[in-house]
Amino acid sequence: MWFYKNDNIDLDTIQFIKQNNNFTYNFIVRGDKNYNNLLYLDNLCIYNNINANKLINIIHESKFILSKKYISYDRFSGQLGLAMSFEKPIIIDFKT
């Protein structure tokens, strides 16, 4: 689960999801109780504080992992490890 608050969701992320509406995006997050910046997107499911088995099932069924836009560059981020462990392509920013 990624610490991701509603305020972290910007217009670039929303536009990316809208423009790629042939995919269903599973946001597995923690940090806020309400993600109203995403609620109107039809091709998105929000999972908050799920257990490990549910996380594993979602990743197995996924075609790729979309990294959150701003990550800490001073440590190895969780989505990078999950993408490698499950051999899933990752969509990530250029700097990372």
Side-chain angles (χ1 to χ4, degrees), residues 2-96:
W2 291 279
F3 184 79
Y4 202 60
K5 298 187 87 163
N6 189 58
D7 293 344
N8 297 130
I9 301 159
D10 62 3
L11 290 177
D12 287 342
T13 303
I14 292 171
Q15 286 293 60
F16 180 83
I17 293 168
K18 282 183 176 180
Q19 289 173 354
N20 295 284
N21 61 357
N22 53 325
F23 293 101
T24 298
Y25 294 85
N26 295 300
F27 269 55
I28 303 168
V29 294
R30 66 176 178 82
D32 269 343
K33 294 182 190 253
N34 185 344
Y35 289 88
N36 59 352
N37 286 347
L38 298 172
L39 291 178
Y40 65 92
L41 297 168
D42 294 332
N43 57 331
L44 186 122
C45 298
I46 300 172
Y47 299 94
N48 199 342
N49 296 320
I50 62 172
N51 66 42
N53 288 332
K54 180 73 173 169
L55 173 68
I56 290 167
N57 288 336
I58 291 170
I59 294 173
H60 273 300
E61 295 174 9
S62 297
K63 294 185 187 299
F64 61 86
I65 291 180
L66 174 64
S67 173
K68 68 182 187 176
K69 190 169 185 179
Y70 301 105
I71 65 172
S72 298
Y73 295 110
D74 63 342
R75 62 192 70 118
F76 194 73
S77 180
Q79 59 262 22
L80 298 173
L82 287 171
M84 288 180 3
S85 294
F86 287 90
E87 299 179 347
K88 297 290 180 179
I90 187 168
I91 298 172
I92 198 162
D93 67 287
F94 181 75
K95 183 176 179 180
T96 305

